[in-house]
Amino acid sequence: MPTPAKGPRLGGGAAHERLMLANLAAQLFEHKQITTTLHRAKRLRPYAERLVTFAKRGDLASRRRVQGAIASRSRTNKSIVHELFENIAPVMANRDGGYTRITKIGNRKGDNAPMAVISLVMEPLSPKQGVVAEAEKAAAKSAPVEEPQVEETEVAQTEAPEATEAPVEETETAEATEEKAEETK
């Protein structure tokens, strides 16, 4: 699991923090959303998303790893692991990340602690978003930089043709176009 941050823990030592995160994750997977303090929700997000990533793999080793992370001795937590692997992981199969959403809901009445709702994003990834992302990738790969096309214009001859000096190539192309115009007449 993600290494705990250095400094003060969530109300106790590192072991207490691990147990608290495991219980919060179990409640999140059971109820699909929970209300907690903003700080706890922010600490829970990477923990829960990592467990969902293991559940998306679906193999026995991943199941045992998740079960070990969410208090393996409890019967109710075994049913939560089953719920995670059988119901939540298939919904998240097309999603590359961002399995949770944190919404701030204001401060708690008693101690004015900032509160938040952390919930699982159970909406399926819309097919339009996938198509747009693929189209942008394809366009970026296949779009070579086009060089601007330069149009050739004829130089209008003034009264003094010697005053304007044109490169040799331009005079040859101008003479060739004049000859073609005379032939068509």
Side-chain angles (χ1 to χ4, degrees):
M1 294 303 110
T3 58
K6 295 188 178 192
R9 304 284 191 262
L10 294 174
H16 183 250
E17 182 181 23
R18 281 193 303 270
L19 288 172
M20 189 182 304
L21 288 177
N23 286 332
L24 285 170
Q27 294 302 309
L28 177 64
F29 297 140
E30 183 178 2
H31 299 290
K32 309 296 189 271
Q33 74 175 20
I34 56 172
T35 303
T36 185
T37 63
L38 182 62
H39 188 66
R40 285 182 185 170
K42 286 182 177 180
R43 295 292 282 269
L44 175 61
R45 173 181 264 172
Y47 188 86
E49 290 194 1
R50 186 166 169 118
L51 294 177
V52 172
T53 303
F54 283 132
K56 281 175 56 175
R57 290 184 194 161
D59 59 346
L60 182 61
S62 298
R63 183 179 291 267
R64 287 181 177 166
R65 197 162 182 182
V66 169
Q67 193 168 346
I70 301 179
S72 62
R73 292 187 175 91
S74 173
R75 286 186 183 268
T76 58
N77 286 348
K78 287 184 182 181
S79 65
I80 293 169
V81 171
H82 179 75
E83 171 82 12
L84 175 62
F85 274 78
E86 299 302 320
N87 297 335
I88 297 172
V91 174
M92 307 286 185
N94 294 335
R95 208 172 273 281
D96 290 333
Y99 309 120
T100 58
R101 176 184 298 135
I102 296 176
T103 308
K104 297 178 185 178
I105 58 171
N107 294 343
R108 189 162 46 197
K109 188 175 181 182
D111 60 354
N112 207 28
M115 298 297 286
V117 173
I118 182 167
S119 59
L120 293 174
V121 181
M122 298 297 286
E123 298 91 30
L125 191 64
S126 71
K128 184 176 180 181
Q129 290 174 342
V131 170
V132 169
E134 290 177 11
E136 289 176 355
K137 288 179 184 177
K141 288 182 180 178
S142 65
V145 179
E146 294 182 15
E147 295 180 16
Q149 295 179 355
V150 179
E151 295 181 14
E152 293 183 17
T153 58
E154 293 184 26
V155 178
Q157 292 185 359
T158 59
E159 294 176 9
E162 297 86 24
T164 59
E165 294 181 10
V168 178
E169 297 172 353
E170 288 182 3
T171 55
E172 290 177 0
T173 56
E175 292 174 1
T177 55
E178 289 176 6
E179 290 176 4
K180 288 181 184 177
E182 291 176 12
E183 290 175 3
T184 56
K185 290 182 182 178

